[in-house]
Amino acid sequence: GAVVSQHPSWVICKSGTSVKIECRSLDFQATTMFWYRQFPKQSLMLMATSNEGSKATYEQGVEKDKFLINHASLTLSTLTVTSAHPEDSSFYICSARGEREYEQYFGPGTRLTVT
Amino acid sequence: AQSVTQPDIHITVSEGASLELRCNYSYGATPYLFWYVQSPGQGLQLLLKYFSGDTLVQGIKGFEAEFKRSQSSFNLRKPSVHWSDAAEYFCAVGASGGSYIPTFGRGTSLIVHP
């Protein structure tokens, strides 16, 4: 149980276009989901906390208008990278909070390459 | 604010050898501590966690970790490593009075030689 999926797993897009990444909790409902960014050989950096039915809470330094987060339902959160640039290339990981506050179930990640 | 240091970027061990991955944290109060493993193509998986109580914590896959407050450490150990343990390991600290959202270390890559 407690599986989180991400789609796509890998995407290449041209500079200036937008890309949407989906995060789904497959067998449980998640009122809270998290979006992380991971650079090669570096830590996961929390970008934002997504709560179903309300606006996402962004971490300091994360551009809200560039990284649009929508938590449309209890099983789906989306991250849209708008007007992507090469520096947005990264590994994006989502997680969903389980029944207990400390439980987080992670998706496999999405590799974004902007050319 | 809390922080985590994993001083080793890479660790190489032979299959069957023992393993210790180091983790040091910084947090003003009693922290919540986690170890996660990340395998290629898979999401991070929780190996074990420490909130309170016994400072030696047992986890899945034969891993254990010991919380040492005096050293601000939470090192991960395994007595005998298997080739399938090759992965990226992340230590994380969460605020005990807060939202449990963990702050991650940069990770340690474990390489297992046959």
Side-chain angles (χ1 to χ4, degrees):
Chain A
V3 177
V4 175
S5 70
Q6 280 185 244
H7 178 79
S9 57
W10 181 47
V11 58
I12 300 174
C13 71
K14 292 185 177 179
S15 186
T17 62
S18 296
V19 175
K20 180 183 285 188
I21 302 170
E22 293 186 347
C23 176
R24 293 182 184 272
S25 56
L26 297 184
D27 49 2
F28 67 105
Q29 294 183 332
T31 56
T32 302
M33 291 184 173
F34 306 92
W35 286 95
Y36 295 85
R37 185 172 178 176
Q38 184 182 25
F39 291 99
K41 301 304 180 185
Q42 293 192 30
S43 176
L44 280 74
M45 302 300 297
L46 180 66
M47 299 174 65
T49 301
S50 166
N51 291 294
E52 187 268 338
S54 63
K55 291 184 178 180
T57 302
Y58 291 81
E59 295 298 302
Q60 190 172 6
V62 177
E63 298 178 60
K64 301 178 184 180
D65 295 332
K66 167 166 277 296
F67 299 101
L68 299 180
I69 292 172
N70 182 26
H71 196 149
S73 73
L74 289 172
T75 59
L76 173 64
S77 177
T78 60
L79 167 68
T80 302
V81 183
T82 63
S83 186
H85 291 284
E87 56 266 30
D88 298 325
S89 298
S90 192
F91 195 56
Y92 293 89
I93 299 173
C94 74
S95 70
R97 174 170 278 165
E99 288 186 357
R100 298 184 181 88
E101 285 281 333
Y102 62 82
E103 290 178 337
Q104 279 198 56
Y105 300 99
F106 288 82
T110 296
R111 173 78 57 195
L112 170 62
T113 301
V114 184
T115 61
Chain B
Q2 64 262 34
S3 66
V4 177
T5 301
Q6 292 181 250
D8 303 306
I9 298 176
H10 301 285
I11 290 282
T12 301
V13 299
S14 297
E15 190 170 16
S18 62
L19 169 71
E20 183 170 34
L21 301 182
R22 295 184 291 166
C23 172
N24 293 98
Y25 68 90
S26 175
Y27 183 63
T30 300
Y32 293 142
L33 295 162
F34 309 83
W35 273 101
Y36 288 88
V37 59
Q38 183 183 35
S39 299
Q42 299 184 26
L44 273 74
Q45 182 182 21
L46 180 66
L47 288 175
L48 46 77
K49 63 186 182 295
Y50 171 80
F51 285 178
S52 64
D54 193 348
T55 56
L56 184 61
V57 180
Q58 301 297 321
I60 63 171
K61 303 185 179 186
F63 286 93
E64 67 177 25
E66 186 171 12
F67 170 58
K68 293 186 177 180
R69 184 189 302 275
S70 61
Q71 299 177 19
S72 298
S73 70
F74 188 57
N75 294 348
L76 181 71
R77 301 193 294 246
K78 186 170 185 178
S80 177
V81 171
H82 189 262
W83 64 267
S84 60
D85 293 324
E88 194 81 16
Y89 290 81
F90 291 92
C91 180
V93 59
S96 57
S99 60
Y100 295 89
I101 300 174
T103 297
F104 288 85
R106 66 176 176 181
T108 297
S109 180
L110 174 63
I111 301 165
V112 180
H113 281 167

